PDB file of all heavy atoms in Angstrom:
ATOM      1  N   ALA A 247    -113.977 235.761 -44.292  1.00 98.00           N
ATOM      2  CA  ALA A 247    -114.303 237.098 -44.278  1.00 98.00           C
ATOM      3  C   ALA A 247    -114.385 237.755 -45.617  1.00 98.00           C
ATOM      4  O   ALA A 247    -115.345 238.438 -45.965  1.00 98.00           O
ATOM      5  CB  ALA A 247    -113.375 237.836 -43.414  1.00 98.00           C
ATOM      6  N   TRP A 248    -113.483 237.292 -46.495  1.00 98.00           N
ATOM      7  CA  TRP A 248    -113.470 237.791 -47.913  1.00 98.00           C
ATOM      8  C   TRP A 248    -114.658 237.323 -48.690  1.00 98.00           C
ATOM      9  O   TRP A 248    -115.320 238.121 -49.352  1.00 98.00           O
ATOM     10  CB  TRP A 248    -112.224 237.394 -48.630  1.00 98.00           C
ATOM     11  CG  TRP A 248    -111.892 238.043 -49.896  1.00 98.00           C
ATOM     12  CD1 TRP A 248    -111.298 239.244 -50.137  1.00 98.00           C
ATOM     13  CD2 TRP A 248    -112.392 237.660 -51.194  1.00 98.00           C
ATOM     14  NE1 TRP A 248    -111.278 239.547 -51.488  1.00 98.00           N
ATOM     15  CE2 TRP A 248    -112.014 238.529 -52.147  1.00 98.00           C
ATOM     16  CE3 TRP A 248    -113.221 236.615 -51.664  1.00 98.00           C
ATOM     17  CZ2 TRP A 248    -112.335 238.471 -53.483  1.00 98.00           C
ATOM     18  CZ3 TRP A 248    -113.515 236.478 -53.032  1.00 98.00           C
ATOM     19  CH2 TRP A 248    -113.074 237.452 -53.900  1.00 98.00           C
ATOM     20  N   LEU A 249    -115.029 236.090 -48.606  1.00 98.00           N
ATOM     21  CA  LEU A 249    -116.203 235.447 -49.305  1.00 98.00           C
ATOM     22  C   LEU A 249    -117.456 236.231 -48.857  1.00 98.00           C
ATOM     23  O   LEU A 249    -118.342 236.580 -49.701  1.00 98.00           O
ATOM     24  CB  LEU A 249    -116.247 233.998 -48.978  1.00 98.00           C
ATOM     25  CG  LEU A 249    -115.115 233.092 -49.698  1.00 98.00           C
ATOM     26  CD1 LEU A 249    -115.130 231.801 -49.033  1.00 98.00           C
ATOM     27  CD2 LEU A 249    -115.341 233.040 -51.213  1.00 98.00           C
ATOM     28  N   LYS A 250    -117.618 236.346 -47.615  1.00 97.00           N
ATOM     29  CA  LYS A 250    -118.742 237.137 -47.026  1.00 97.00           C
ATOM     30  C   LYS A 250    -118.878 238.544 -47.540  1.00 97.00           C
ATOM     31  O   LYS A 250    -119.944 238.976 -47.918  1.00 97.00           O
ATOM     32  CB  LYS A 250    -118.739 237.133 -45.493  1.00 97.00           C
ATOM     33  CG  LYS A 250    -119.918 237.796 -44.847  1.00 97.00           C
ATOM     34  CD  LYS A 250    -119.750 237.764 -43.326  1.00 97.00           C
ATOM     35  CE  LYS A 250    -121.040 238.455 -42.685  1.00 97.00           C
ATOM     36  NZ  LYS A 250    -120.963 238.368 -41.198  1.00 97.00           N
ATOM     37  N   ALA A 251    -117.683 239.225 -47.632  1.00 97.00           N
ATOM     38  CA  ALA A 251    -117.654 240.536 -48.169  1.00 97.00           C
ATOM     39  C   ALA A 251    -118.177 240.584 -49.607  1.00 97.00           C
ATOM     40  O   ALA A 251    -118.630 241.670 -50.177  1.00 97.00           O
ATOM     41  CB  ALA A 251    -116.359 241.188 -48.085  1.00 97.00           C
ATOM     42  N   GLN A 252    -117.947 239.538 -50.388  1.00 96.00           N
ATOM     43  CA  GLN A 252    -118.310 239.458 -51.786  1.00 96.00           C
ATOM     44  C   GLN A 252    -119.755 239.126 -52.003  1.00 96.00           C
ATOM     45  O   GLN A 252    -120.311 239.062 -53.031  1.00 96.00           O
ATOM     46  CB  GLN A 252    -117.363 238.456 -52.522  1.00 96.00           C
ATOM     47  CG  GLN A 252    -115.948 238.794 -52.512  1.00 96.00           C
ATOM     48  CD  GLN A 252    -115.520 240.174 -52.667  1.00 96.00           C
ATOM     49  OE1 GLN A 252    -115.954 240.787 -53.697  1.00 96.00           O
ATOM     50  NE2 GLN A 252    -114.802 240.691 -51.762  1.00 96.00           N
ATOM     51  N   GLY A 253    -120.563 238.789 -50.902  1.00 96.00           N
ATOM     52  CA  GLY A 253    -121.883 238.368 -50.935  1.00 96.00           C
ATOM     53  C   GLY A 253    -122.011 236.925 -51.353  1.00 96.00           C
ATOM     54  O   GLY A 253    -123.120 236.506 -51.843  1.00 96.00           O
ATOM     55  N   ILE A 254    -121.017 236.081 -51.160  1.00 97.00           N
ATOM     56  CA  ILE A 254    -121.137 234.684 -51.509  1.00 97.00           C
ATOM     57  C   ILE A 254    -121.639 233.971 -50.277  1.00 97.00           C
ATOM     58  O   ILE A 254    -120.806 233.969 -49.296  1.00 97.00           O
ATOM     59  CB  ILE A 254    -119.728 234.156 -52.014  1.00 97.00           C
ATOM     60  CG1 ILE A 254    -119.284 234.884 -53.302  1.00 97.00           C
ATOM     61  CG2 ILE A 254    -119.783 232.582 -52.188  1.00 97.00           C
ATOM     62  CD1 ILE A 254    -117.968 234.525 -53.683  1.00 97.00           C
ATOM     63  N   THR A 255    -122.819 233.506 -50.296  1.00 95.00           N
ATOM     64  CA  THR A 255    -123.378 233.075 -49.093  1.00 95.00           C
ATOM     65  C   THR A 255    -123.493 231.509 -48.882  1.00 95.00           C
ATOM     66  O   THR A 255    -123.584 231.053 -47.844  1.00 95.00           O
ATOM     67  CB  THR A 255    -124.881 233.530 -49.019  1.00 95.00           C
ATOM     68  OG1 THR A 255    -125.559 233.093 -50.180  1.00 95.00           O
ATOM     69  CG2 THR A 255    -124.875 235.143 -48.952  1.00 95.00           C
ATOM     70  N   ASP A 256    -123.354 230.720 -50.022  1.00 97.00           N
ATOM     71  CA  ASP A 256    -123.343 229.319 -49.827  1.00 97.00           C
ATOM     72  C   ASP A 256    -121.940 228.870 -49.527  1.00 97.00           C
ATOM     73  O   ASP A 256    -121.201 228.394 -50.338  1.00 97.00           O
ATOM     74  CB  ASP A 256    -123.823 228.742 -51.279  1.00 97.00           C
ATOM     75  CG  ASP A 256    -123.935 227.231 -51.123  1.00 97.00           C
ATOM     76  OD1 ASP A 256    -123.724 226.647 -50.012  1.00 97.00           O
ATOM     77  OD2 ASP A 256    -124.397 226.539 -52.024  1.00 97.00           O
ATOM     78  N   VAL A 257    -121.654 228.951 -48.263  1.00 98.00           N
ATOM     79  CA  VAL A 257    -120.212 228.752 -47.716  1.00 98.00           C
ATOM     80  C   VAL A 257    -120.288 227.715 -46.596  1.00 98.00           C
ATOM     81  O   VAL A 257    -121.108 227.842 -45.663  1.00 98.00           O
ATOM     82  CB  VAL A 257    -119.486 230.067 -47.275  1.00 98.00           C
ATOM     83  CG1 VAL A 257    -118.080 229.748 -46.861  1.00 98.00           C
ATOM     84  CG2 VAL A 257    -119.407 230.974 -48.449  1.00 98.00           C
ATOM     85  N   THR A 258    -119.468 226.758 -46.605  1.00 98.00           N
ATOM     86  CA  THR A 258    -119.454 225.635 -45.573  1.00 98.00           C
ATOM     87  C   THR A 258    -118.096 225.516 -45.095  1.00 98.00           C
ATOM     88  O   THR A 258    -117.137 225.378 -45.971  1.00 98.00           O
ATOM     89  CB  THR A 258    -120.069 224.375 -46.018  1.00 98.00           C
ATOM     90  OG1 THR A 258    -121.285 224.555 -46.598  1.00 98.00           O
ATOM     91  CG2 THR A 258    -120.146 223.352 -44.894  1.00 98.00           C
ATOM     92  N   GLU A 259    -117.795 225.434 -43.870  1.00 98.00           N
ATOM     93  CA  GLU A 259    -116.357 225.073 -43.412  1.00 98.00           C
ATOM     94  C   GLU A 259    -116.453 223.670 -42.816  1.00 98.00           C
ATOM     95  O   GLU A 259    -117.419 223.215 -42.195  1.00 98.00           O
ATOM     96  CB  GLU A 259    -116.074 226.044 -42.259  1.00 98.00           C
ATOM     97  CG  GLU A 259    -114.586 225.844 -41.669  1.00 98.00           C
ATOM     98  CD  GLU A 259    -114.257 226.586 -40.538  1.00 98.00           C
ATOM     99  OE1 GLU A 259    -114.564 227.789 -40.561  1.00 98.00           O
ATOM    100  OE2 GLU A 259    -113.543 226.111 -39.584  1.00 98.00           O
ATOM    101  N   TYR A 260    -115.415 222.902 -43.132  1.00 98.00           N
ATOM    102  CA  TYR A 260    -115.214 221.552 -42.642  1.00 98.00           C
ATOM    103  C   TYR A 260    -114.017 221.542 -41.790  1.00 98.00           C
ATOM    104  O   TYR A 260    -112.986 222.112 -42.059  1.00 98.00           O
ATOM    105  CB  TYR A 260    -115.107 220.636 -43.831  1.00 98.00           C
ATOM    106  CG  TYR A 260    -116.333 220.627 -44.726  1.00 98.00           C
ATOM    107  CD1 TYR A 260    -116.372 221.471 -45.827  1.00 98.00           C
ATOM    108  CD2 TYR A 260    -117.415 219.708 -44.448  1.00 98.00           C
ATOM    109  CE1 TYR A 260    -117.445 221.521 -46.729  1.00 98.00           C
ATOM    110  CE2 TYR A 260    -118.565 219.736 -45.357  1.00 98.00           C
ATOM    111  CZ  TYR A 260    -118.571 220.635 -46.426  1.00 98.00           C
ATOM    112  OH  TYR A 260    -119.679 220.704 -47.313  1.00 98.00           O
ATOM    113  N   GLN A 261    -114.089 220.825 -40.703  1.00 98.00           N
ATOM    114  CA  GLN A 261    -112.944 220.848 -39.735  1.00 98.00           C
ATOM    115  C   GLN A 261    -112.512 219.355 -39.433  1.00 98.00           C
ATOM    116  O   GLN A 261    -113.186 218.597 -38.897  1.00 98.00           O
ATOM    117  CB  GLN A 261    -113.439 221.442 -38.365  1.00 98.00           C
ATOM    118  CG  GLN A 261    -113.764 222.893 -38.563  1.00 98.00           C
ATOM    119  CD  GLN A 261    -114.256 223.551 -37.288  1.00 98.00           C
ATOM    120  OE1 GLN A 261    -114.377 222.814 -36.223  1.00 98.00           O
ATOM    121  NE2 GLN A 261    -114.402 224.903 -37.266  1.00 98.00           N
ATOM    122  N   ALA A 262    -111.351 219.118 -39.966  1.00 98.00           N
ATOM    123  CA  ALA A 262    -110.686 217.803 -39.733  1.00 98.00           C
ATOM    124  C   ALA A 262    -109.996 217.796 -38.416  1.00 98.00           C
ATOM    125  O   ALA A 262    -109.006 218.652 -38.202  1.00 98.00           O
ATOM    126  CB  ALA A 262    -109.706 217.416 -40.808  1.00 98.00           C
ATOM    127  N   PRO A 263    -110.375 216.963 -37.474  1.00 98.00           N
ATOM    128  CA  PRO A 263    -109.731 217.060 -36.065  1.00 98.00           C
ATOM    129  C   PRO A 263    -108.167 216.761 -36.148  1.00 98.00           C
ATOM    130  O   PRO A 263    -107.696 216.059 -36.883  1.00 98.00           O
ATOM    131  CB  PRO A 263    -110.400 215.805 -35.377  1.00 98.00           C
ATOM    132  CG  PRO A 263    -111.606 215.649 -36.057  1.00 98.00           C
ATOM    133  CD  PRO A 263    -111.427 215.973 -37.513  1.00 98.00           C
ATOM    134  N   ASP A 264    -107.496 217.635 -35.505  1.00 98.00           N
ATOM    135  CA  ASP A 264    -106.050 217.543 -35.425  1.00 98.00           C
ATOM    136  C   ASP A 264    -105.466 218.124 -34.114  1.00 98.00           C
ATOM    137  O   ASP A 264    -105.459 219.375 -33.976  1.00 98.00           O
ATOM    138  CB  ASP A 264    -105.332 218.188 -36.644  1.00 98.00           C
ATOM    139  CG  ASP A 264    -103.841 217.898 -36.720  1.00 98.00           C
ATOM    140  OD1 ASP A 264    -103.256 217.282 -35.685  1.00 98.00           O
ATOM    141  OD2 ASP A 264    -103.184 218.264 -37.716  1.00 98.00           O
ATOM    142  N   SER A 265    -105.232 217.304 -33.139  1.00 98.00           N
ATOM    143  CA  SER A 265    -104.840 217.711 -31.804  1.00 98.00           C
ATOM    144  C   SER A 265    -103.504 218.439 -31.830  1.00 98.00           C
ATOM    145  O   SER A 265    -103.182 219.003 -30.793  1.00 98.00           O
ATOM    146  CB  SER A 265    -104.854 216.495 -30.837  1.00 98.00           C
ATOM    147  OG  SER A 265    -103.991 215.599 -31.201  1.00 98.00           O
ATOM    148  N   ARG A 266    -102.784 218.341 -32.830  1.00 97.00           N
ATOM    149  CA  ARG A 266    -101.418 218.937 -32.851  1.00 97.00           C
ATOM    150  C   ARG A 266    -101.341 220.521 -32.923  1.00 97.00           C
ATOM    151  O   ARG A 266    -100.460 221.071 -32.654  1.00 97.00           O
ATOM    152  CB  ARG A 266    -100.573 218.331 -33.919  1.00 97.00           C
ATOM    153  CG  ARG A 266    -100.302 216.862 -33.829  1.00 97.00           C
ATOM    154  CD  ARG A 266     -99.522 216.344 -35.092  1.00 97.00           C
ATOM    155  NE  ARG A 266    -100.502 216.596 -36.246  1.00 97.00           N
ATOM    156  CZ  ARG A 266    -100.021 216.484 -37.535  1.00 97.00           C
ATOM    157  NH1 ARG A 266     -98.719 216.161 -37.753  1.00 97.00           N
ATOM    158  NH2 ARG A 266    -100.803 216.683 -38.561  1.00 97.00           N
ATOM    159  N   VAL A 267    -102.619 220.968 -33.408  1.00 97.00           N
ATOM    160  CA  VAL A 267    -102.682 222.500 -33.653  1.00 97.00           C
ATOM    161  C   VAL A 267    -103.577 223.053 -32.420  1.00 97.00           C
ATOM    162  O   VAL A 267    -104.474 222.296 -31.876  1.00 97.00           O
ATOM    163  CB  VAL A 267    -103.182 222.919 -34.954  1.00 97.00           C
ATOM    164  CG1 VAL A 267    -102.195 222.501 -36.027  1.00 97.00           C
ATOM    165  CG2 VAL A 267    -104.558 222.285 -35.196  1.00 97.00           C
ATOM    166  N   SER A 268    -103.326 224.246 -32.042  1.00 97.00           N
ATOM    167  CA  SER A 268    -104.011 224.870 -30.845  1.00 97.00           C
ATOM    168  C   SER A 268    -105.590 224.978 -31.015  1.00 97.00           C
ATOM    169  O   SER A 268    -106.255 224.738 -30.016  1.00 97.00           O
ATOM    170  CB  SER A 268    -103.467 226.246 -30.568  1.00 97.00           C
ATOM    171  OG  SER A 268    -103.612 227.152 -31.758  1.00 97.00           O
ATOM    172  N   CYS A 269    -106.018 225.142 -32.226  1.00 97.00           N
ATOM    173  CA  CYS A 269    -107.543 225.111 -32.426  1.00 97.00           C
ATOM    174  C   CYS A 269    -108.128 223.738 -32.441  1.00 97.00           C
ATOM    175  O   CYS A 269    -109.279 223.639 -32.441  1.00 97.00           O
ATOM    176  CB  CYS A 269    -107.923 225.942 -33.722  1.00 97.00           C
ATOM    177  SG  CYS A 269    -107.409 225.132 -35.215  1.00 97.00           S
ATOM    178  N   GLY A 270    -107.190 222.685 -32.679  1.00 98.00           N
ATOM    179  CA  GLY A 270    -107.777 221.373 -32.580  1.00 98.00           C
ATOM    180  C   GLY A 270    -108.414 220.852 -33.897  1.00 98.00           C
ATOM    181  O   GLY A 270    -108.847 219.762 -33.863  1.00 98.00           O
ATOM    182  N   HIS A 271    -108.140 221.511 -34.937  1.00 98.00           N
ATOM    183  CA  HIS A 271    -108.656 221.117 -36.275  1.00 98.00           C
ATOM    184  C   HIS A 271    -107.964 221.686 -37.382  1.00 98.00           C
ATOM    185  O   HIS A 271    -107.200 222.751 -37.188  1.00 98.00           O
ATOM    186  CB  HIS A 271    -110.163 221.287 -36.344  1.00 98.00           C
ATOM    187  CG  HIS A 271    -110.539 222.813 -36.390  1.00 98.00           C
ATOM    188  ND1 HIS A 271    -110.898 223.459 -35.249  1.00 98.00           N
ATOM    189  CD2 HIS A 271    -110.590 223.741 -37.347  1.00 98.00           C
ATOM    190  CE1 HIS A 271    -111.181 224.698 -35.419  1.00 98.00           C
ATOM    191  NE2 HIS A 271    -110.934 224.961 -36.712  1.00 98.00           N
ATOM    192  N   ARG A 272    -108.162 221.216 -38.637  1.00 98.00           N
ATOM    193  CA  ARG A 272    -107.606 221.774 -39.839  1.00 98.00           C
ATOM    194  C   ARG A 272    -108.807 222.150 -40.717  1.00 98.00           C
ATOM    195  O   ARG A 272    -109.578 221.320 -41.092  1.00 98.00           O
ATOM    196  CB  ARG A 272    -106.696 220.733 -40.533  1.00 98.00           C
ATOM    197  CG  ARG A 272    -105.692 220.147 -39.615  1.00 98.00           C
ATOM    198  CD  ARG A 272    -104.539 221.115 -39.234  1.00 98.00           C
ATOM    199  NE  ARG A 272    -103.791 221.464 -40.334  1.00 98.00           N
ATOM    200  CZ  ARG A 272    -102.803 220.702 -40.896  1.00 98.00           C
ATOM    201  NH1 ARG A 272    -102.516 219.504 -40.269  1.00 98.00           N
ATOM    202  NH2 ARG A 272    -102.104 221.107 -41.943  1.00 98.00           N
ATOM    203  N   PRO A 273    -109.018 223.439 -41.025  1.00 98.00           N
ATOM    204  CA  PRO A 273    -110.246 223.853 -41.841  1.00 98.00           C
ATOM    205  C   PRO A 273    -110.037 223.831 -43.253  1.00 98.00           C
ATOM    206  O   PRO A 273    -108.959 224.137 -43.899  1.00 98.00           O
ATOM    207  CB  PRO A 273    -110.338 225.366 -41.285  1.00 98.00           C
ATOM    208  CG  PRO A 273    -108.916 225.810 -41.057  1.00 98.00           C
ATOM    209  CD  PRO A 273    -108.237 224.490 -40.575  1.00 98.00           C
ATOM    210  N   SER A 274    -111.086 223.435 -43.937  1.00 98.00           N
ATOM    211  CA  SER A 274    -111.262 223.546 -45.291  1.00 98.00           C
ATOM    212  C   SER A 274    -112.536 224.290 -45.654  1.00 98.00           C
ATOM    213  O   SER A 274    -113.503 224.115 -44.824  1.00 98.00           O
ATOM    214  CB  SER A 274    -111.296 222.119 -46.008  1.00 98.00           C
ATOM    215  OG  SER A 274    -110.005 221.491 -45.937  1.00 98.00           O
ATOM    216  N   ILE A 275    -112.642 225.001 -46.774  1.00 98.00           N
ATOM    217  CA  ILE A 275    -113.740 225.811 -47.085  1.00 98.00           C
ATOM    218  C   ILE A 275    -114.341 225.477 -48.462  1.00 98.00           C
ATOM    219  O   ILE A 275    -113.600 225.327 -49.399  1.00 98.00           O
ATOM    220  CB  ILE A 275    -113.423 227.351 -47.048  1.00 98.00           C
ATOM    221  CG1 ILE A 275    -112.823 227.704 -45.727  1.00 98.00           C
ATOM    222  CG2 ILE A 275    -114.540 228.181 -47.435  1.00 98.00           C
ATOM    223  CD1 ILE A 275    -112.206 229.067 -45.691  1.00 98.00           C
ATOM    224  N   LYS A 276    -115.620 225.380 -48.446  1.00 98.00           N
ATOM    225  CA  LYS A 276    -116.397 225.058 -49.742  1.00 98.00           C
ATOM    226  C   LYS A 276    -117.210 226.285 -49.890  1.00 98.00           C
ATOM    227  O   LYS A 276    -117.990 226.725 -49.002  1.00 98.00           O
ATOM    228  CB  LYS A 276    -117.274 223.872 -49.605  1.00 98.00           C
ATOM    229  CG  LYS A 276    -118.091 223.608 -50.861  1.00 98.00           C
ATOM    230  CD  LYS A 276    -119.139 222.533 -50.664  1.00 98.00           C
ATOM    231  CE  LYS A 276    -120.277 222.992 -50.002  1.00 98.00           C
ATOM    232  NZ  LYS A 276    -121.472 221.960 -49.880  1.00 98.00           N
ATOM    233  N   ALA A 277    -117.228 227.005 -51.059  1.00 98.00           N
ATOM    234  CA  ALA A 277    -117.982 227.989 -51.428  1.00 98.00           C
ATOM    235  C   ALA A 277    -118.590 227.810 -52.897  1.00 98.00           C
ATOM    236  O   ALA A 277    -117.870 227.507 -53.835  1.00 98.00           O
ATOM    237  CB  ALA A 277    -117.319 229.381 -51.408  1.00 98.00           C
ATOM    238  N   VAL A 278    -119.928 227.974 -52.949  1.00 98.00           N
ATOM    239  CA  VAL A 278    -120.550 227.676 -54.328  1.00 98.00           C
ATOM    240  C   VAL A 278    -121.414 228.771 -54.755  1.00 98.00           C
ATOM    241  O   VAL A 278    -122.172 229.311 -53.959  1.00 98.00           O
ATOM    242  CB  VAL A 278    -121.421 226.322 -54.141  1.00 98.00           C
ATOM    243  CG1 VAL A 278    -122.139 226.024 -55.428  1.00 98.00           C
ATOM    244  CG2 VAL A 278    -120.532 225.177 -53.714  1.00 98.00           C
ATOM    245  N   ILE A 279    -121.336 229.096 -56.008  1.00 98.00           N
ATOM    246  CA  ILE A 279    -122.194 230.075 -56.710  1.00 98.00           C
ATOM    247  C   ILE A 279    -123.154 229.246 -57.583  1.00 98.00           C
ATOM    248  O   ILE A 279    -122.697 228.632 -58.537  1.00 98.00           O
ATOM    249  CB  ILE A 279    -121.403 231.104 -57.499  1.00 98.00           C
ATOM    250  CG1 ILE A 279    -120.555 231.998 -56.496  1.00 98.00           C
ATOM    251  CG2 ILE A 279    -122.360 232.007 -58.304  1.00 98.00           C
ATOM    252  CD1 ILE A 279    -119.678 233.000 -57.283  1.00 98.00           C
TER     253      ILE A 279
END
């Protein structure tokens, strides 16, 4: 949400599967200017 508010648009989320957490994954974020 913060990156979007700054107008940084080249943003990708990567989700490593992990069944131990309720959402089922562990997120990492790449943002590039």
Side-chain angles (χ1 to χ4, degrees):
W248 190 92
L249 290 165
K250 182 178 180 180
Q252 307 310 309
I254 298 172
T255 57
D256 188 354
V257 178
T258 307
E259 180 183 326
Y260 301 90
Q261 298 180 351
D264 188 349
S265 61
R266 299 173 301 167
V267 295
S268 58
C269 67
H271 62 263
R272 309 289 291 280
S274 294
I275 298 169
K276 179 190 78 173
V278 177
I279 295 176

